[in-house]
Amino acid sequence: MTRVLLSLAVFVFFALCVYGMWHGWRRRQRKQADLPAFPSTPAALGAPRLATTGVYIGTTNAGNWQDRVQVGDIGFRAEATLSLVPEGVAIERVGASPIFIPAESIRDARTDRGLAGKVMFSEEGLLVVQWENEGHLFDTGFRGDDKDVYDEWVAALSQNPINTEGKA
């Protein structure tokens, strides 16, 4: 009888933990409901200048590496292909909607150690693109299968015309 009660207590504790996480996720979604809608991917994209595979880590409010945007399915990690096209940055995610960052919205690109609760051992474990959408700054993180291409990505995104004219 003691084992049954102990097992039941552990199960109830586990269920409460899961409920708490679900409730927190929903509360954050409600809190972020007033964020501007993310840009949709154009019907036709030009040929990619750069492309790499890896994992889309998430999007956060810029400057707060743990404040993951959770509106819709934006907060879901997924295997993805990252492409730099003339129109911007396209992220094709497996099992989730695509994400598109228009070229004129890109403000910065860097490598970083952590984003959206994901922390890497190396300083350059993630490629992070900072971009603006309707006056709101976001950081979008990607962990590439080949981290040797990060420097090429950072250089290409830094050559964005809006970045050479001065940052807002």
Side-chain angles (χ1 to χ4, degrees):
M1 183 66 166
T2 305
R3 286 185 184 195
V4 170
L5 289 176
L6 183 59
S7 296
L8 185 60
V10 169
F11 176 77
V12 168
F13 177 75
F14 177 75
L16 286 172
C17 289
V18 169
Y19 173 76
M21 289 187 297
W22 176 81
H23 184 68
W25 183 277
R26 298 292 296 173
R27 187 186 72 221
R28 183 175 294 225
Q29 283 182 325
R30 283 191 303 273
K31 180 180 156 188
Q32 295 176 346
D34 62 341
L35 288 176
F38 277 37
S40 57
T41 304
L45 295 175
R49 287 181 27 204
L50 293 172
T52 189
T53 58
V55 177
Y56 164 78
I57 298 300
T59 297
T60 64
N61 289 302
N64 189 346
W65 72 279
Q66 291 185 342
D67 190 13
R68 178 193 300 263
V69 174
Q70 295 179 187
V71 177
D73 70 349
I74 298 299
F76 299 153
R77 288 191 180 122
E79 290 183 23
T81 300
L82 183 70
S83 302
L84 178 61
V85 294
E87 297 81 9
V89 175
I91 305 170
E92 287 294 324
R93 300 185 298 160
V94 175
S97 63
I99 297 173
F100 180 73
I101 303 170
E104 63 273 6
S105 299
I106 297 169
R107 298 293 176 256
D108 193 17
R110 67 183 188 279
T111 58
D112 211 331
R113 166 173 257 176
L115 187 80
K118 179 73 170 177
V119 179
M120 306 298 289
F121 289 111
S122 81
E123 253 336 284
E124 299 178 347
L126 299 173
L127 175 65
V128 179
V129 178
Q130 186 173 85
W131 57 288
E132 185 176 354
N133 186 22
E134 297 181 26
H136 196 93
L137 283 175
F138 296 101
D139 285 338
T140 295
F142 187 83
R143 185 189 70 196
D145 293 333
D146 180 9
K147 292 166 187 56
D148 293 335
V149 301
Y150 286 177
D151 290 338
E152 190 176 3
W153 275 89
V154 170
L157 291 170
S158 297
Q159 291 173 2
N160 187 352
I162 201 153
N163 290 334
T164 60
E165 295 170 7
K167 295 180 183 178

